[in-house]
Amino acid sequence: MPSSIEKYLKDHIAAHGPMDVGQFMSIALSHPEFGYYMKRDPFGRGGDFTTAPEVSQMFGEMIGVWCADVWMQMGSPKKFTLLECGPGRGTLMADILRATNGVDGFRDAVDVHLLEISPVLKQKQIETLDDFEVTHHETLEDVPNAPLIVVANEFLDALPFRQFAKLKSGWAERVVTEDFKFGLKPAINSFIPKEFQSAKEGEIFESAPARVSFVKNVSELLRKNTGVALFIDYGHAKSGLGDTFQAIHKHKYAGVLEHIGDADLTSHVDFEALKQAADINVYGPVEQGAFLKDMGIEIRAQILASKTEPTDVLNALKRLTDSSQMGSLFKVMGLSHGDAVTPSGF
Ligand code: SAH
């Protein structure tokens, strides 16, 4: 076994040649021994970044209201699967379950399933959700057959993506070389949508087949079991050009090929590509600020502010909903199968 992630990557590149950005990201984040997510709890002040559920309980409560509403529209099934993909510390799920506690029949009906690869975070999720029996999965394949509600916050951005650069001579794929620099290799044009084929020299196009397949697989599960899904992530509603590869290390942007295995690597999610992949009903994407307001976050904030430190509540509300913060960059997309359910917030 190599002694470090750098050694592992160097050996791999020496044997197989420069690797595409997606392979690099996938190893850096999820190598069983050295991968970023596999060995730490990356959230909060002592970690590298803070997500919406970690900003305030109000976020998860609004998602809880959304889940209760779709569950009732589904006919309040006596048993259903609530699946969260990439649950981090389990905070969002805990807030959903607390917010829905008073909804008649919901708690008896819910069967909590979590899709997670990190052993450290699986353990953390079990601790956070200790009032519930949770079932962990590493793939969607063994999710049971039952009516289904899926939620995922900042999950898709963690799945690998690839980058293509326009040169004078045509498109080339960006690869990572043995000395951890970017290189290029010839690319097959079919990765580039028609509208971008003749982009200017120097432009970057990003494609994320792993995200597209994931959304396709979720659509299939929904078609098979009936149900709805909610994806929340930062990204753009329309496909575009540009380099959005980013590394976050200790709450600061870092070079994407630095701190390998110790920095979170992501890119913006192309919701248009995902919309095209889902061949069931798609809602949105809408901006997170608008979605949360539609779900009643401002009223919830007023109530909370009267019970706790109002400045903290109002700051959190602003952080989650204001366009200058998470309100516009983050988008919300819904999926549903059949006409029986119209998810709210869109
Ligand atoms: N939803 C959480 C955490 C987001 S970070 C929040 O909002 O706070 C991304 C999460 O996805 C982590 O829990 C990470 O371990 C998990 N993850 C990353 N890649 C994954 C994969 N391929 N399969 C399952 N889980 C994955």
Side-chain angles (χ1 to χ4, degrees):
M1 210 38 190
S3 52
S4 69
I5 195 159
E6 284 84 4
K7 175 87 173 74
Y8 176 85
L9 285 162
K10 269 183 195 295
D11 290 352
H12 194 291
I13 295 170
H16 305 284
M19 58 175 65
D20 68 56
V21 166
Q23 275 177 298
F24 173 78
M25 180 173 174
S26 170
I27 294 168
L29 293 182
S30 48
H31 180 280
E33 195 180 346
F34 307 118
Y36 175 75
Y37 278 114
M38 306 307 270
K39 53 185 190 190
R40 78 188 76 230
D41 171 353
F43 307 98
R45 284 229 179 105
D48 294 303
F49 60 97
T50 304
T51 56
E54 303 297 335
V55 168
S56 163
Q57 67 186 74
M58 293 185 286
F59 181 80
E61 289 170 350
M62 293 307 110
I63 310 295
V65 171
W66 185 89
C67 287
D69 175 56
V70 290
W71 175 70
M72 288 190 269
Q73 289 193 50
M74 284 158 74
S76 309
K78 292 261 174 309
K79 280 284 160 229
F80 77 101
T81 305
L82 178 57
L83 170 70
E84 184 177 355
C85 308
R89 285 180 168 168
T91 309
L92 170 59
M93 185 55 87
D95 290 338
I96 291 175
L97 293 170
R98 198 189 55 256
T100 49
N101 202 21
V103 178
D104 202 18
F106 190 95
R107 181 149 182 163
D108 288 336
V110 70
D111 189 11
V112 179
H113 288 253
L114 306 172
L115 183 77
E116 177 59 69
I117 45 161
S118 161
V120 178
L121 292 174
K122 277 183 195 164
Q123 190 48 44
K124 180 80 198 162
Q125 291 151 16
I126 290 170
E127 286 162 21
T128 307
L129 300 166
D130 61 350
D131 277 351
F132 288 83
E133 217 171 277
V134 302
T135 310
H136 276 112
H137 303 275
E138 296 203 353
T139 73
L140 288 175
E141 273 153 35
D142 46 351
V143 172
N145 289 330
L148 180 63
I149 299 177
V150 182
V151 296
N153 183 60
E154 287 205 41
F155 170 74
L156 293 169
D157 67 75
L159 299 182
F161 71 103
R162 294 165 68 169
Q163 286 192 317
F164 299 87
K166 183 72 186 289
L167 312 178
K168 214 180 234 136
S169 53
W171 286 94
E173 177 153 18
R174 254 182 143 184
V175 288
V176 178
T177 61
E178 215 175 326
D179 51 355
F180 302 127
K181 298 215 162 75
F182 281 121
L184 291 165
K185 71 172 189 197
I188 313 166
N189 250 8
S190 61
F191 271 107
I192 317 296
K194 265 205 193 88
E195 59 195 296
F196 299 127
Q197 295 254 345
S198 53
K200 282 203 310 275
E201 190 185 337
E203 289 284 13
I204 299 279
F205 177 74
E206 296 178 339
S207 165
R211 297 175 191 170
V212 167
S213 311
F214 189 83
V215 168
K216 270 203 164 96
N217 292 340
V218 168
S219 325
E220 252 157 53
L221 267 182
L222 294 176
R223 204 165 330 109
K224 198 165 79 184
N225 295 289
T226 74
V228 289
L230 193 69
F231 290 100
I232 306 156
D233 227 307
Y234 43 94
H236 32 275
K238 287 248 151 270
S239 300
L241 294 164
D243 180 357
T244 72
F245 195 2
Q246 68 180 41
I248 300 274
H249 181 61
K250 299 202 190 318
H251 296 272
K252 290 205 176 89
Y253 289 110
V256 290
L257 304 179
E258 287 167 17
H259 307 290
I260 304 171
D262 288 323
D264 185 35
L265 299 178
T266 65
S267 73
H268 287 194
V269 170
D270 177 353
F271 280 97
E272 187 178 353
L274 300 182
K275 255 179 115 153
Q276 285 163 2
D279 49 358
I280 54 175
N281 300 332
V282 183
Y283 302 86
V286 295
E287 294 183 354
Q288 173 173 297
F291 178 85
L292 292 174
K293 285 180 187 168
D294 208 41
M295 298 311 299
I297 196 168
E298 288 163 315
I299 297 162
R300 179 64 185 137
Q302 274 172 18
I303 296 168
L304 264 186
S306 68
K307 293 186 189 160
T308 54
E309 181 48 59
T311 328
D312 291 350
V313 176
L314 296 176
N315 284 343
L317 175 68
K318 191 165 180 214
R319 187 150 171 207
L320 293 173
T321 59
D322 202 89
S323 318
S324 65
Q325 303 201 38
M326 300 172 88
S328 291
L329 176 61
F330 282 73
K331 312 282 188 302
V332 185
M333 181 178 86
L335 302 178
S336 84
H337 171 59
D339 297 324
V341 182
T342 309
S344 43
F346 298 98

